[in-house]
Amino acid sequence: MGGHLLGVFVFSFLNLCLLQELALAATTRHYKFDIKLKNVTRVCNTTAILTANGKFPGPRIVVREGDRLVVKVVNHSPKNVSIHWHGIRQLQSGWYDGPSYITQCPIQTGQTYVYNFTIVGQRGTLFWHAHISWLRATLYGPIIILPKRGVPYPFPKPYKQVPILFGEWFNADPEAIINQSLQTGGGPNVSVAYTINGLPGPLYNCSGDKDTYKLKVKPGKTYLLRLINAALNDEIFISIANHTVTVVEADASYIKPFETDKFLITPGQTMNVLLKTKPYYPNATFFIAARPYATGTGTFDNSTVAAILEYESPTNSTLLSIMQLPPLKPTLPSLNDTPFAFNFSRRFRSLASVQYPTNVPQTVDKRFFFTVGLGTSPCPKNQTCQGPNGTKFSASMNNISFALPTTALLQSYFFGKSNGVYTTNFPSKPIIPFDYTGTPPNNTMVINGTKVVVLPFNTNVEVVLQDTSILGNESHPLHLHGYNFFVLASGFGNFDPNSDPANFNTVDPVERNTIGVPSGGWVAIRFRADNPGAWLMHCHFDVHLSWGLRMAWIVLDGNLPSQKLPPPPADLPKC
């Protein structure tokens, strides 16, 4: 009898272990995006915008680390579309990265493409957005990656989690705006408002209570705010009146926590901050305000967006008195406060703990020095152009302005049909050296071409990104697809290869997928090329992206099956 009971106990115990294992096992999470035009009104202007499932911003995706994500995208719109899962590593799943004409051709009207990939070794906040022309102006949404079940956050568990997406609102079709700019060669029209979770807030004309996002909180609680800058062309300063936050994560990587009452976030960056509410009911409301950090010489949307932080009232009578109180306003840095931007960026450090180690490459196999900035292209004959001195605005890396191919780069590489699509001679340093941040050269013309860098699998890569003063110094948010990279150091002026590497941080550098190249300065990054495929690196100002400020890496397969890119899926869109 005792043996029988023991057997039952062992069987039950094994069953319990199996159930726990299943609970911890990865899940496949299915979503469907129906891409359609929808009339949306903001600041007294109704515009037909591109949406996913009729939502603006688009649907929230929630997964856990280790989950498989399957998103069926059906294009009902008259525009070609592709979706990029910004910051997802896409290990061995490069066919699903999403940038048009790089990893896929766009999904044409009436077509469907199923994105299918696994979240490996990442947790935090990322976002998805359209990656063709300027369609990401309205086609974007949050990706929330929770830790695996049973794995705690390395910071106090929040009472609630709230995604906060910053965007830009245009009173016209954004695609028409950039197309006109490319045709005339001049700068594009700028946005008319910024938005928080799709709403412009009370500081704009013709924008009232229903157009204002309200974050309702309780006293004495900790809220995890998942901040995303989905704006097209603007870095933004943010502050919450009379409140301090603790920054705990950047680009879905945990960092050493630090406190701040104002912060900067560039397009493409995400940030998790802990907001600890006041221990008592404050009898006031507070603005969450944001405005641009602008360093270039061009025009920009010089306006301020606000949401309202509102404490839940203990009594209805207090609530009535609150409604008459104007919200308290925060102090934001000045529009061109580059010292604040630089110092804020340098505060980020990886957690570098036993559980979350910092695997920065300690040796370098290949070094690259890339200048990033603006330039010009000749005006076509019999045409008047509105760029500098009658030219067309252009942008480049190492003076190469990247021309998008008409067939997808990854397909061309995979099937060995690169002839006529791209060349492998992207320069590892500027063709003609000059004083990058000093007096600019007289010749501002760029070279157009589809040139890539080819990397053997597992190459340790170091890249110095150097701003140039051609047509003015400017901060450039650079995003690398398919990888996180480590930010070793940054500085002002020209990078000095003899003295600056001595200050590189190879102990706990922050791990990111997007970094601002300082205005009139440089930043050094490092990554290991352990993900085969074709990977875009570009400025996340869409105006600069459209003008050609991008390049591509092709990372070759390794020797093991786990180091090879599988064949493309059957439903990969055709050009």
Side-chain angles (χ1 to χ4, degrees):
M1 184 71 179
H4 175 70
L5 279 174
L6 182 66
V8 169
F9 173 76
V10 169
F11 178 74
S12 301
F13 178 73
L14 288 173
N15 253 357
L16 186 66
C17 290
L18 184 63
L19 285 170
Q20 280 182 324
E21 239 178 83
L22 285 171
L24 292 171
T27 304
T28 299
R29 301 188 188 268
H30 293 268
Y31 289 83
K32 186 185 178 193
F33 286 2
D34 286 303
I35 310 298
K36 292 178 179 174
L37 285 172
K38 181 184 181 180
N39 284 336
V40 172
T41 304
R42 296 288 184 272
V43 289
C44 263
N45 189 280
T46 302
T47 308
I49 67 168
L50 219 52
T51 64
N53 302 348
K55 294 183 176 179
F56 170 65
R60 182 186 305 185
I61 282 180
V62 183
V63 292
R64 286 193 182 276
E65 179 188 345
D67 283 353
R68 177 172 289 277
L69 181 59
V70 178
V71 186
K72 184 179 184 179
V73 178
V74 187
N75 186 10
H76 305 277
S77 84
K79 300 172 185 289
N80 287 348
V81 168
S82 71
I83 304 293
H84 170 50
W85 314 93
H86 184 108
I88 300 284
R89 282 292 318 270
Q90 297 292 2
L91 290 161
Q92 286 189 285
S93 54
W95 301 106
Y96 303 109
D97 188 43
S100 287
Y101 301 106
I102 303 296
T103 57
Q104 67 166 93
C105 295
I107 308 163
Q108 294 174 27
T109 305
Q111 290 187 344
T112 297
Y113 185 38
V114 179
Y115 293 89
N116 184 342
F117 52 88
T118 300
I119 313 293
V120 181
Q122 292 181 282
R123 75 295 301 164
T125 303
L126 295 170
F127 72 121
W128 60 265
H129 62 76
H131 210 301
I132 181 169
S133 183
W134 275 21
L135 300 189
R136 78 173 181 87
T138 59
L139 203 50
Y140 62 85
I143 302 175
I144 294 165
I145 309 171
L146 302 171
K148 290 180 177 177
R149 283 192 192 279
V151 178
Y153 295 111
F155 46 78
K157 187 181 178 184
Y159 170 69
K160 270 190 180 169
Q161 305 186 25
V162 186
I164 297 184
L165 293 86
F166 297 87
E168 283 184 274
W169 178 261
F170 295 82
N171 273 350
D173 175 5
E175 194 174 33
I177 292 172
I178 185 57
N179 287 347
Q180 182 188 22
S181 162
L182 294 173
Q183 184 131 15
T184 64
N189 291 340
V190 299
S191 56
V192 296
Y194 297 102
T195 57
I196 295 177
N197 287 348
L199 299 169
L203 301 181
Y204 292 100
N205 288 335
C206 201
S207 185
D209 197 58
K210 66 176 176 38
D211 300 305
T212 302
Y213 174 70
K214 292 186 179 70
L215 175 57
K216 296 189 176 173
V217 297
K218 293 181 177 179
K221 301 287 186 187
T222 299
Y223 291 79
L224 180 67
L225 308 184
R226 296 177 175 270
L227 309 177
I228 296 165
N229 186 352
L232 230 56
N233 293 313
D234 289 281
E235 303 182 75
I236 49 175
F237 292 124
I238 308 161
S239 184
I240 306 172
N242 288 32
H243 288 74
T244 298
V245 300
T246 304
V247 186
V248 292
E249 179 256 315
D251 293 359
S253 292
Y254 295 136
I255 63 163
K256 290 184 173 72
F258 67 89
E259 288 192 355
T260 185
D261 63 347
K262 48 184 78 78
F263 28 105
L264 170 73
I265 185 166
T266 79
Q269 285 186 337
T270 57
M271 197 186 301
N272 279 1
V273 303
L274 293 176
L275 172 71
K276 198 167 190 321
T277 57
K278 296 180 184 301
Y280 52 86
Y281 182 70
N283 209 30
T285 59
F286 308 88
F287 268 160
I288 303 167
R291 74 172 180 199
Y293 163 50
T295 54
T297 53
T299 54
F300 63 96
D301 177 356
N302 183 6
S303 66
T304 303
V305 62
I308 292 177
L309 179 69
E310 199 173 85
Y311 280 70
E312 286 186 16
S313 162
T315 65
N316 286 340
S317 58
T318 319
L319 181 63
L320 289 170
S321 66
I322 281 290
M323 290 172 77
Q324 279 102 51
L325 284 177
L328 300 175
K329 295 180 181 179
T331 304
L332 289 158
S334 59
L335 291 164
N336 60 351
D337 194 343
T338 292
F340 174 86
F342 183 76
N343 290 327
F344 180 74
S345 181
R346 284 165 66 111
R347 294 182 75 181
F348 288 77
R349 291 280 186 270
S350 281
L351 210 49
S353 63
V354 173
Q355 192 173 1
Y356 302 103
T358 305
N359 298 316
V360 56
Q362 297 296 320
T363 58
V364 177
D365 302 315
K366 292 203 174 178
R367 284 187 168 85
F368 297 89
F369 182 83
F370 293 168
T371 55
V372 295
L374 302 187
T376 57
S377 292
C379 189
K381 284 181 181 174
N382 305 322
Q383 191 184 327
T384 304
C385 292
Q386 295 170 6
N389 303 317
T391 62
K392 285 185 147 190
F393 270 115
S394 202
S396 67
M397 299 179 74
N398 278 357
N399 207 44
I400 308 295
S401 188
F402 189 90
L404 274 182
T406 51
T407 193
L409 209 63
L410 185 56
Q411 261 177 301
S412 310
Y413 154 68
F414 189 86
F415 293 111
K417 295 181 177 176
S418 61
N419 205 6
V421 179
Y422 66 87
T423 59
T424 58
N425 59 343
F426 187 90
S428 61
K429 58 181 188 288
I431 303 161
I432 302 168
F434 60 98
D435 181 0
Y436 306 113
T437 53
T439 306
N442 292 327
N443 182 11
T444 61
M445 290 290 176
V446 302
I447 299 162
N448 290 293
T450 310
K451 298 174 185 289
V452 307
V453 172
V454 177
L455 296 170
F457 187 83
N458 258 350
T459 303
N460 287 339
V461 180
E462 186 177 289
V463 187
V464 173
L465 298 160
Q466 172 76 59
D467 182 34
T468 70
S469 56
I470 297 173
L471 304 184
N473 289 323
E474 189 166 0
S475 173
H476 296 275
L478 260 286
H479 171 51
L480 175 60
H481 287 234
Y483 289 91
N484 283 351
F485 50 76
F486 295 95
V487 182
L488 305 180
S490 56
F492 290 114
N494 296 341
F495 174 74
D496 187 332
N498 298 313
S499 60
D500 285 325
N503 299 316
F504 283 4
N505 173 13
T506 58
V507 177
D508 62 349
V510 68
E511 194 175 340
R512 301 208 76 141
N513 63 57
T514 306
I515 189 68
V517 180
S519 177
W522 56 269
V523 64
I525 65 171
R526 213 177 265 182
F527 66 95
R528 179 173 291 116
D530 59 359
N531 191 9
W535 306 107
L536 194 61
M537 186 160 87
H538 64 91
C539 184
H540 223 276
F541 290 151
D542 273 24
V543 58
H544 295 170
L545 174 64
S546 300
W547 286 345
L549 211 169
R550 53 193 167 199
M551 58 81 66
W553 308 90
I554 287 181
V555 178
L556 304 177
D557 283 350
N559 297 321
L560 303 174
S562 61
Q563 300 170 344
K564 296 182 190 299
L565 181 71
D571 64 340
L572 187 73
K574 294 177 173 58
C575 286

PDB file of all heavy atoms in Angstrom, residues 211-233:
ATOM      1  N   ASP A 211      -9.325  65.867 -26.867  1.00  0.00           N
ATOM      2  CA  ASP A 211      -8.084  65.686 -27.631  1.00  0.00           C
ATOM      3  C   ASP A 211      -6.862  65.616 -26.717  1.00  0.00           C
ATOM      4  O   ASP A 211      -5.735  65.813 -27.158  1.00  0.00           O
ATOM      5  CB  ASP A 211      -7.898  66.857 -28.619  1.00  0.00           C
ATOM      6  CG  ASP A 211      -9.052  66.946 -29.598  1.00  0.00           C
ATOM      7  OD1 ASP A 211      -9.331  65.938 -30.264  1.00  0.00           O
ATOM      8  OD2 ASP A 211      -9.684  68.021 -29.681  1.00  0.00           O
ATOM      9  N   THR A 212      -7.098  65.383 -25.433  1.00  0.00           N
ATOM     10  CA  THR A 212      -6.010  65.385 -24.445  1.00  0.00           C
ATOM     11  C   THR A 212      -5.918  64.022 -23.768  1.00  0.00           C
ATOM     12  O   THR A 212      -6.922  63.515 -23.256  1.00  0.00           O
ATOM     13  CB  THR A 212      -6.250  66.479 -23.379  1.00  0.00           C
ATOM     14  OG1 THR A 212      -6.342  67.745 -24.033  1.00  0.00           O
ATOM     15  CG2 THR A 212      -5.117  66.514 -22.358  1.00  0.00           C
ATOM     16  N   TYR A 213      -4.701  63.463 -23.763  1.00  0.00           N
ATOM     17  CA  TYR A 213      -4.496  62.197 -23.063  1.00  0.00           C
ATOM     18  C   TYR A 213      -4.370  62.480 -21.566  1.00  0.00           C
ATOM     19  O   TYR A 213      -3.621  63.362 -21.153  1.00  0.00           O
ATOM     20  CB  TYR A 213      -3.253  61.480 -23.579  1.00  0.00           C
ATOM     21  CG  TYR A 213      -2.930  60.233 -22.781  1.00  0.00           C
ATOM     22  CD1 TYR A 213      -3.753  59.109 -22.862  1.00  0.00           C
ATOM     23  CD2 TYR A 213      -1.836  60.196 -21.917  1.00  0.00           C
ATOM     24  CE1 TYR A 213      -3.489  57.973 -22.107  1.00  0.00           C
ATOM     25  CE2 TYR A 213      -1.563  59.063 -21.165  1.00  0.00           C
ATOM     26  CZ  TYR A 213      -2.395  57.958 -21.265  1.00  0.00           C
ATOM     27  OH  TYR A 213      -2.143  56.838 -20.522  1.00  0.00           O
ATOM     28  N   LYS A 214      -5.108  61.699 -20.760  1.00  0.00           N
ATOM     29  CA  LYS A 214      -5.039  61.854 -19.307  1.00  0.00           C
ATOM     30  C   LYS A 214      -4.517  60.563 -18.685  1.00  0.00           C
ATOM     31  O   LYS A 214      -5.072  59.492 -18.918  1.00  0.00           O
ATOM     32  CB  LYS A 214      -6.421  62.189 -18.739  1.00  0.00           C
ATOM     33  CG  LYS A 214      -6.935  63.572 -19.139  1.00  0.00           C
ATOM     34  CD  LYS A 214      -8.242  63.889 -18.431  1.00  0.00           C
ATOM     35  CE  LYS A 214      -8.737  65.267 -18.801  1.00  0.00           C
ATOM     36  NZ  LYS A 214      -9.208  65.369 -20.171  1.00  0.00           N
ATOM     37  N   LEU A 215      -3.465  60.708 -17.908  1.00  0.00           N
ATOM     38  CA  LEU A 215      -2.932  59.572 -17.155  1.00  0.00           C
ATOM     39  C   LEU A 215      -3.455  59.686 -15.734  1.00  0.00           C
ATOM     40  O   LEU A 215      -3.058  60.584 -14.977  1.00  0.00           O
ATOM     41  CB  LEU A 215      -1.398  59.598 -17.176  1.00  0.00           C
ATOM     42  CG  LEU A 215      -0.689  58.534 -16.341  1.00  0.00           C
ATOM     43  CD1 LEU A 215      -1.098  57.119 -16.746  1.00  0.00           C
ATOM     44  CD2 LEU A 215       0.827  58.689 -16.428  1.00  0.00           C
ATOM     45  N   LYS A 216      -4.397  58.804 -15.377  1.00  0.00           N
ATOM     46  CA  LYS A 216      -5.012  58.856 -14.048  1.00  0.00           C
ATOM     47  C   LYS A 216      -4.246  57.927 -13.110  1.00  0.00           C
ATOM     48  O   LYS A 216      -4.051  56.756 -13.420  1.00  0.00           O
ATOM     49  CB  LYS A 216      -6.483  58.470 -14.147  1.00  0.00           C
ATOM     50  CG  LYS A 216      -7.259  59.476 -14.988  1.00  0.00           C
ATOM     51  CD  LYS A 216      -8.750  59.278 -14.962  1.00  0.00           C
ATOM     52  CE  LYS A 216      -9.409  60.393 -15.744  1.00  0.00           C
ATOM     53  NZ  LYS A 216     -10.817  60.238 -15.943  1.00  0.00           N
ATOM     54  N   VAL A 217      -3.815  58.477 -11.969  1.00  0.00           N
ATOM     55  CA  VAL A 217      -2.985  57.708 -11.030  1.00  0.00           C
ATOM     56  C   VAL A 217      -3.554  57.796  -9.619  1.00  0.00           C
ATOM     57  O   VAL A 217      -4.356  58.679  -9.303  1.00  0.00           O
ATOM     58  CB  VAL A 217      -1.522  58.218 -11.036  1.00  0.00           C
ATOM     59  CG1 VAL A 217      -0.880  58.024 -12.397  1.00  0.00           C
ATOM     60  CG2 VAL A 217      -1.442  59.687 -10.610  1.00  0.00           C
ATOM     61  N   LYS A 218      -3.078  56.859  -8.779  1.00  0.00           N
ATOM     62  CA  LYS A 218      -3.433  56.867  -7.358  1.00  0.00           C
ATOM     63  C   LYS A 218      -2.206  57.318  -6.562  1.00  0.00           C
ATOM     64  O   LYS A 218      -1.076  57.042  -6.964  1.00  0.00           O
ATOM     65  CB  LYS A 218      -3.855  55.464  -6.913  1.00  0.00           C
ATOM     66  CG  LYS A 218      -5.155  54.997  -7.552  1.00  0.00           C
ATOM     67  CD  LYS A 218      -5.545  53.618  -7.067  1.00  0.00           C
ATOM     68  CE  LYS A 218      -6.897  53.225  -7.669  1.00  0.00           C
ATOM     69  NZ  LYS A 218      -7.316  51.885  -7.245  1.00  0.00           N
ATOM     70  N   PRO A 219      -2.413  57.957  -5.418  1.00  0.00           N
ATOM     71  CA  PRO A 219      -1.264  58.358  -4.586  1.00  0.00           C
ATOM     72  C   PRO A 219      -0.492  57.143  -4.072  1.00  0.00           C
ATOM     73  O   PRO A 219      -1.067  56.071  -3.855  1.00  0.00           O
ATOM     74  CB  PRO A 219      -1.916  59.118  -3.423  1.00  0.00           C
ATOM     75  CG  PRO A 219      -3.275  59.492  -3.905  1.00  0.00           C
ATOM     76  CD  PRO A 219      -3.692  58.414  -4.855  1.00  0.00           C
ATOM     77  N   GLY A 220       0.813  57.330  -3.899  1.00  0.00           N
ATOM     78  CA  GLY A 220       1.648  56.322  -3.266  1.00  0.00           C
ATOM     79  C   GLY A 220       1.851  55.048  -4.059  1.00  0.00           C
ATOM     80  O   GLY A 220       2.117  53.994  -3.489  1.00  0.00           O
ATOM     81  N   LYS A 221       1.711  55.125  -5.369  1.00  0.00           N
ATOM     82  CA  LYS A 221       1.906  53.942  -6.218  1.00  0.00           C
ATOM     83  C   LYS A 221       3.072  54.163  -7.180  1.00  0.00           C
ATOM     84  O   LYS A 221       3.457  55.307  -7.466  1.00  0.00           O
ATOM     85  CB  LYS A 221       0.646  53.652  -7.040  1.00  0.00           C
ATOM     86  CG  LYS A 221      -0.613  53.413  -6.226  1.00  0.00           C
ATOM     87  CD  LYS A 221      -0.592  52.071  -5.535  1.00  0.00           C
ATOM     88  CE  LYS A 221      -1.919  51.786  -4.846  1.00  0.00           C
ATOM     89  NZ  LYS A 221      -1.857  50.562  -4.037  1.00  0.00           N
ATOM     90  N   THR A 222       3.619  53.050  -7.712  1.00  0.00           N
ATOM     91  CA  THR A 222       4.688  53.127  -8.709  1.00  0.00           C
ATOM     92  C   THR A 222       4.151  52.695 -10.061  1.00  0.00           C
ATOM     93  O   THR A 222       3.607  51.596 -10.192  1.00  0.00           O
ATOM     94  CB  THR A 222       5.885  52.228  -8.301  1.00  0.00           C
ATOM     95  OG1 THR A 222       6.394  52.694  -7.051  1.00  0.00           O
ATOM     96  CG2 THR A 222       6.991  52.286  -9.341  1.00  0.00           C
ATOM     97  N   TYR A 223       4.288  53.564 -11.041  1.00  0.00           N
ATOM     98  CA  TYR A 223       3.821  53.294 -12.409  1.00  0.00           C
ATOM     99  C   TYR A 223       5.025  53.141 -13.335  1.00  0.00           C
ATOM    100  O   TYR A 223       5.968  53.938 -13.265  1.00  0.00           O
ATOM    101  CB  TYR A 223       2.929  54.433 -12.912  1.00  0.00           C
ATOM    102  CG  TYR A 223       1.606  54.515 -12.191  1.00  0.00           C
ATOM    103  CD1 TYR A 223       1.520  55.105 -10.925  1.00  0.00           C
ATOM    104  CD2 TYR A 223       0.453  53.988 -12.757  1.00  0.00           C
ATOM    105  CE1 TYR A 223       0.305  55.166 -10.250  1.00  0.00           C
ATOM    106  CE2 TYR A 223      -0.772  54.046 -12.080  1.00  0.00           C
ATOM    107  CZ  TYR A 223      -0.827  54.632 -10.823  1.00  0.00           C
ATOM    108  OH  TYR A 223      -2.028  54.680 -10.160  1.00  0.00           O
ATOM    109  N   LEU A 224       4.981  52.114 -14.190  1.00  0.00           N
ATOM    110  CA  LEU A 224       6.021  51.924 -15.203  1.00  0.00           C
ATOM    111  C   LEU A 224       5.519  52.580 -16.493  1.00  0.00           C
ATOM    112  O   LEU A 224       4.549  52.112 -17.096  1.00  0.00           O
ATOM    113  CB  LEU A 224       6.294  50.437 -15.438  1.00  0.00           C
ATOM    114  CG  LEU A 224       7.374  50.115 -16.481  1.00  0.00           C
ATOM    115  CD1 LEU A 224       8.748  50.553 -15.995  1.00  0.00           C
ATOM    116  CD2 LEU A 224       7.409  48.626 -16.800  1.00  0.00           C
ATOM    117  N   LEU A 225       6.135  53.684 -16.862  1.00  0.00           N
ATOM    118  CA  LEU A 225       5.772  54.372 -18.106  1.00  0.00           C
ATOM    119  C   LEU A 225       6.682  53.863 -19.221  1.00  0.00           C
ATOM    120  O   LEU A 225       7.910  53.940 -19.111  1.00  0.00           O
ATOM    121  CB  LEU A 225       5.912  55.884 -17.950  1.00  0.00           C
ATOM    122  CG  LEU A 225       5.196  56.522 -16.755  1.00  0.00           C
ATOM    123  CD1 LEU A 225       5.347  58.036 -16.801  1.00  0.00           C
ATOM    124  CD2 LEU A 225       3.724  56.132 -16.719  1.00  0.00           C
ATOM    125  N   ARG A 226       6.061  53.316 -20.265  1.00  0.00           N
ATOM    126  CA  ARG A 226       6.816  52.785 -21.400  1.00  0.00           C
ATOM    127  C   ARG A 226       6.814  53.852 -22.500  1.00  0.00           C
ATOM    128  O   ARG A 226       5.836  53.998 -23.229  1.00  0.00           O
ATOM    129  CB  ARG A 226       6.180  51.482 -21.882  1.00  0.00           C
ATOM    130  CG  ARG A 226       6.235  50.355 -20.844  1.00  0.00           C
ATOM    131  CD  ARG A 226       5.524  49.099 -21.320  1.00  0.00           C
ATOM    132  NE  ARG A 226       5.665  47.994 -20.393  1.00  0.00           N
ATOM    133  CZ  ARG A 226       6.652  47.095 -20.416  1.00  0.00           C
ATOM    134  NH1 ARG A 226       7.605  47.198 -21.330  1.00  0.00           N
ATOM    135  NH2 ARG A 226       6.698  46.107 -19.545  1.00  0.00           N
ATOM    136  N   LEU A 227       7.897  54.608 -22.577  1.00  0.00           N
ATOM    137  CA  LEU A 227       7.978  55.761 -23.482  1.00  0.00           C
ATOM    138  C   LEU A 227       8.532  55.344 -24.840  1.00  0.00           C
ATOM    139  O   LEU A 227       9.525  54.623 -24.923  1.00  0.00           O
ATOM    140  CB  LEU A 227       8.877  56.845 -22.889  1.00  0.00           C
ATOM    141  CG  LEU A 227       8.572  57.282 -21.452  1.00  0.00           C
ATOM    142  CD1 LEU A 227       9.594  58.305 -20.985  1.00  0.00           C
ATOM    143  CD2 LEU A 227       7.170  57.843 -21.336  1.00  0.00           C
ATOM    144  N   ILE A 228       7.883  55.828 -25.897  1.00  0.00           N
ATOM    145  CA  ILE A 228       8.290  55.512 -27.271  1.00  0.00           C
ATOM    146  C   ILE A 228       8.278  56.808 -28.076  1.00  0.00           C
ATOM    147  O   ILE A 228       7.266  57.508 -28.091  1.00  0.00           O
ATOM    148  CB  ILE A 228       7.320  54.501 -27.917  1.00  0.00           C
ATOM    149  CG1 ILE A 228       7.354  53.152 -27.177  1.00  0.00           C
ATOM    150  CG2 ILE A 228       7.630  54.295 -29.404  1.00  0.00           C
ATOM    151  CD1 ILE A 228       6.196  52.222 -27.508  1.00  0.00           C
ATOM    152  N   ASN A 229       9.388  57.130 -28.738  1.00  0.00           N
ATOM    153  CA  ASN A 229       9.368  58.273 -29.652  1.00  0.00           C
ATOM    154  C   ASN A 229       9.129  57.761 -31.069  1.00  0.00           C
ATOM    155  O   ASN A 229      10.023  57.256 -31.724  1.00  0.00           O
ATOM    156  CB  ASN A 229      10.656  59.087 -29.597  1.00  0.00           C
ATOM    157  CG  ASN A 229      10.556  60.351 -30.447  1.00  0.00           C
ATOM    158  OD1 ASN A 229       9.581  60.543 -31.189  1.00  0.00           O
ATOM    159  ND2 ASN A 229      11.556  61.211 -30.361  1.00  0.00           N
ATOM    160  N   ALA A 230       7.878  57.885 -31.511  1.00  0.00           N
ATOM    161  CA  ALA A 230       7.504  57.465 -32.868  1.00  0.00           C
ATOM    162  C   ALA A 230       7.395  58.664 -33.806  1.00  0.00           C
ATOM    163  O   ALA A 230       6.891  58.530 -34.924  1.00  0.00           O
ATOM    164  CB  ALA A 230       6.176  56.708 -32.821  1.00  0.00           C
ATOM    165  N   ALA A 231       7.870  59.844 -33.348  1.00  0.00           N
ATOM    166  CA  ALA A 231       7.822  61.039 -34.201  1.00  0.00           C
ATOM    167  C   ALA A 231       8.681  60.820 -35.439  1.00  0.00           C
ATOM    168  O   ALA A 231       9.668  60.088 -35.409  1.00  0.00           O
ATOM    169  CB  ALA A 231       8.314  62.258 -33.432  1.00  0.00           C
ATOM    170  N   LEU A 232       8.292  61.467 -36.539  1.00  0.00           N
ATOM    171  CA  LEU A 232       8.978  61.254 -37.811  1.00  0.00           C
ATOM    172  C   LEU A 232      10.352  61.912 -37.849  1.00  0.00           C
ATOM    173  O   LEU A 232      11.316  61.307 -38.306  1.00  0.00           O
ATOM    174  CB  LEU A 232       8.109  61.817 -38.948  1.00  0.00           C
ATOM    175  CG  LEU A 232       7.857  60.882 -40.119  1.00  0.00           C
ATOM    176  CD1 LEU A 232       7.240  59.583 -39.656  1.00  0.00           C
ATOM    177  CD2 LEU A 232       6.947  61.547 -41.148  1.00  0.00           C
ATOM    178  N   ASN A 233      10.428  63.155 -37.382  1.00  0.00           N
ATOM    179  CA  ASN A 233      11.644  63.936 -37.642  1.00  0.00           C
ATOM    180  C   ASN A 233      12.159  64.721 -36.451  1.00  0.00           C
ATOM    181  O   ASN A 233      12.970  65.629 -36.633  1.00  0.00           O
ATOM    182  CB  ASN A 233      11.382  64.905 -38.805  1.00  0.00           C
ATOM    183  CG  ASN A 233      11.157  64.178 -40.124  1.00  0.00           C
ATOM    184  OD1 ASN A 233      11.908  63.280 -40.481  1.00  0.00           O
ATOM    185  ND2 ASN A 233      10.096  64.548 -40.825  1.00  0.00           N
TER     186      ASN A 233
END
